[in-house]
Amino acid sequence: MFTWNYRIVNDRRGNGGEDWYCLKEVAYDDLGKPTGYGDPCLGADDMDGFKRVWHMVMEALTLPPLQEDDFTTKETEA
């Protein structure tokens, strides 16, 4: 089953090896291990949907940042 959420990711590879913390959409495998990430979509069809998106973004700030080593595959952003 495909699952995802918003997370803060330290995207060093995308920043020449230097720390760069940014919001990403993170996908997980069936065991809950992160497998990849992409740029977030921060929109919705209506304001109720946007409030849910915003709640998910705020939840990401309560979780520890993910590092590149946390991902089970080396494929990340396409």
Side-chain angles (χ1 to χ4, degrees):
M1 179 169 110
F2 177 79
T3 59
W4 69 275
N5 66 356
Y6 293 113
R7 290 292 298 267
I8 305 301
V9 175
N10 186 2
D11 187 18
R12 287 187 199 128
R13 196 170 57 177
N15 193 41
E18 299 294 321
D19 286 340
W20 185 253
Y21 293 92
C22 49
L23 181 69
K24 297 291 184 179
E25 286 184 8
V26 175
Y28 299 87
D29 66 16
D30 291 338
L31 300 174
K33 303 237 185 230
T35 58
Y37 58 85
D39 289 331
C41 173
L42 298 176
D45 293 335
D46 56 32
M47 283 306 295
D48 287 335
F50 189 78
K51 288 175 186 177
R52 284 190 298 277
V53 167
W54 194 251
H55 176 74
M56 292 173 69
V57 170
M58 296 306 294
E59 184 178 350
L61 292 172
T62 69
L63 301 171
L66 295 172
Q67 305 295 320
E68 291 173 344
D69 296 353
D70 294 327
F71 292 86
T72 57
T73 65
K74 293 302 177 193
E75 282 186 55
T76 53
E77 240 175 295

